[in-house]
Amino acid sequence: MRILLFFLLCSWTVARAQVPVQKIRIGELHEYIARSDHPLIVNFWATFCAPCNKEIPYFQRTVARYKDSGVELILVSLDLPDYYPVKIGDFARKQGYTARLMWLNETNADYFCPKVDTGWTGGIPSSLFIDNKRHYRRFFDRQLTEPQVELEIKKMLSE
């Protein structure tokens, strides 16, 4: 009986384990993007954004198919400060998000949006596809479909 209780407690603890969420400023994110030596997709989302949470699973599935090409997906949360890190991490765990999670520690969209893309109005979901080696950069200020994500990754890898 004690062994069973021990395993149940361990299973519950593992299931409740927090997904790590890195706090980042826009300058640090900009630097990471600029120094990236592999294909990168930066997806801006929030826990309250239904279109964001609809597209993240197929971003993850599609990126997984290109793991041998080194494609990395980063999910950058734009949630309010009181959501960091517990609410974001718990939400991501419940949704099955496996990509690297960051929380943008910025509140002034007029400041951080143009640092990502000069045309970004601040709407989410938004995604940046970038490969510095191939000089590829494309920004989407809208939700993408799964075929669009696949097509964009193919373009990013072929140029």
Side-chain angles (χ1 to χ4, degrees), residues 32-85:
Y32 184 83
I33 292 168
R35 290 182 182 230
S36 175
D37 64 353
H38 56 280
L40 183 64
I41 302 168
V42 182
N43 179 271
F44 296 90
W45 70 289
T47 58
F48 60 82
C49 172
C52 300
N53 294 298
K54 180 179 179 185
E55 77 176 4
I56 288 173
Y58 52 80
F59 265 85
Q60 290 191 144
R61 280 193 304 271
T62 308
V63 167
R65 289 195 295 271
Y66 291 91
K67 69 179 178 184
D68 292 341
S69 299
V71 178
E72 179 186 11
L73 173 63
I74 298 176
L75 303 176
V76 179
S77 168
L78 300 181
D79 281 291
L80 296 172
D82 63 335
Y83 276 58
Y84 172 79

Side-chain angles (χ1 to χ4, degrees), residues 44 78 109-110 112-114 117-126 139 141:
F44 296 90
L78 300 181
D110 291 335
F112 72 78
C113 286
D117 189 85
T118 56
W120 188 18
T121 61
I124 54 174
S126 291
F139 184 78
D141 193 6

